[in-house]
Amino acid sequence: PDLVLCGAWKWTLPEKLRAAGIEVLEIKDAENLNDSLQRIINIGQKVGKETEAQAIVDQMKKDIEAIKARETGAKRKVYIELDAGQWTVGGSSYLNEVVEIVGLENIFRDRKEPYLMVTMESILMRQPDLLMSLHRTKEEYQKISAWQASSCVRDGKVIGRDSIDWNSITHQSPRLVQGIQMLESKVKEIFLTTKTQN
């Protein structure tokens, strides 16, 4: 290959590739939304497509601002579960920014860590209106007795791992906006359905 894109790891892979005469672009993990967009610019610059990359990023920013402008109501509280053991998202993660864009408020936004483990007690104490999970489906949560203590699970206000294409959000590509739009649509669907039922 003329170019290898790889994560900015502390391993020896980039050095070994360079020693073999291969050009390497190390890409740092995105800590926030701006980092995600900057990655696109960096790749565009490296492959001689900076103008095209900038156009993609400009359109993404415009689309994100349009989503924000639609979310004018009171923010609903959300718990985000990434993996088993109650791994969740803190205030410094770009996923925290993503949920804010669609009018949600991460219940652990006050924590400085980007990712952390929390207890069931701390989740219940913060009383989320919605559960978002990349780990389980809504049906799986409803079958776990401990989760019946959460009103959002009892009421079916769960966006499970099979509800949307999470890859479009977690892989930080130009598809990020489409992922945010899918999330926005799902959130509105859940709360509109609940309101209609009531």
Side-chain angles (χ1 to χ4, degrees):
D2 300 307
L3 175 67
V4 171
L5 308 179
C6 74
W9 304 312
K10 295 179 180 178
W11 301 348
T12 59
L13 175 62
E15 288 74 15
K16 287 180 178 179
L17 290 170
R18 290 186 181 110
I22 298 172
E23 188 173 4
V24 178
L25 174 61
E26 294 181 70
I27 303 173
K28 294 181 180 178
D29 287 340
E31 294 181 6
N32 53 51
L33 198 53
N34 281 335
D35 287 350
S36 296
L37 301 178
Q38 187 58 46
R39 287 157 58 116
I40 296 171
I41 300 294
N42 292 347
I43 294 171
Q45 290 171 337
K46 197 68 176 178
V47 299
K49 297 286 184 180
E50 184 174 358
T51 301
E52 292 87 340
Q54 188 63 59
I56 289 171
V57 168
D58 289 345
Q59 186 60 53
M60 290 175 72
K61 287 181 177 179
K62 183 178 178 181
D63 293 341
I64 287 170
E65 288 305 314
I67 296 169
K68 285 181 180 178
R70 292 195 290 267
E71 309 307 323
T72 57
K75 290 187 179 293
R76 299 181 190 274
K77 296 187 293 182
V78 61
Y79 166 65
I80 308 160
E81 185 153 281
L82 300 176
D83 208 344
Q86 285 91 244
W87 272 100
T88 190
V89 171
S92 61
S93 168
Y94 86 99
L95 286 173
N96 184 74
E97 292 181 77
V98 166
V99 298
E100 287 181 349
I101 289 169
V102 299
L104 299 172
E105 184 178 276
N106 173 17
I107 62 172
F108 290 102
R109 72 193 183 286
D110 59 317
R111 297 291 297 268
K112 293 181 180 179
E113 310 98 303
Y115 308 103
L116 63 149
M117 288 182 74
V118 295
T119 64
M120 179 64 76
E121 290 78 9
S122 65
I123 297 168
L124 297 176
M125 185 175 65
R126 295 176 187 230
Q127 300 179 329
D129 302 305
L130 174 69
L131 192 161
M132 282 172 39
S133 178
L134 286 70
H135 174 54
R136 296 185 177 108
T137 65
K138 178 172 78 172
E139 291 73 23
E140 286 173 322
Y141 281 103
Q142 291 175 327
K143 290 177 182 177
I144 300 172
S145 59
W147 278 105
Q148 290 305 308
S150 172
S151 61
C152 60
V153 172
R154 291 197 308 271
D155 297 340
K157 295 176 187 173
V158 178
I159 300 176
R161 69 175 183 217
D162 58 346
S163 298
I164 65 171
D165 178 11
W166 288 107
N167 286 331
S168 60
I169 293 176
T170 59
H171 287 185
Q172 306 167 356
S173 74
R175 291 197 305 136
L176 176 60
V177 171
Q178 288 95 314
I180 295 173
Q181 289 169 335
M182 279 190 283
L183 181 59
E184 176 193 34
S185 177
K186 197 67 182 176
V187 169
K188 288 183 176 178
E189 175 189 322
I190 285 175
F191 288 103
L192 180 62
T193 301
T194 304
K195 187 177 180 180
T196 303
Q197 290 173 345
N198 292 340

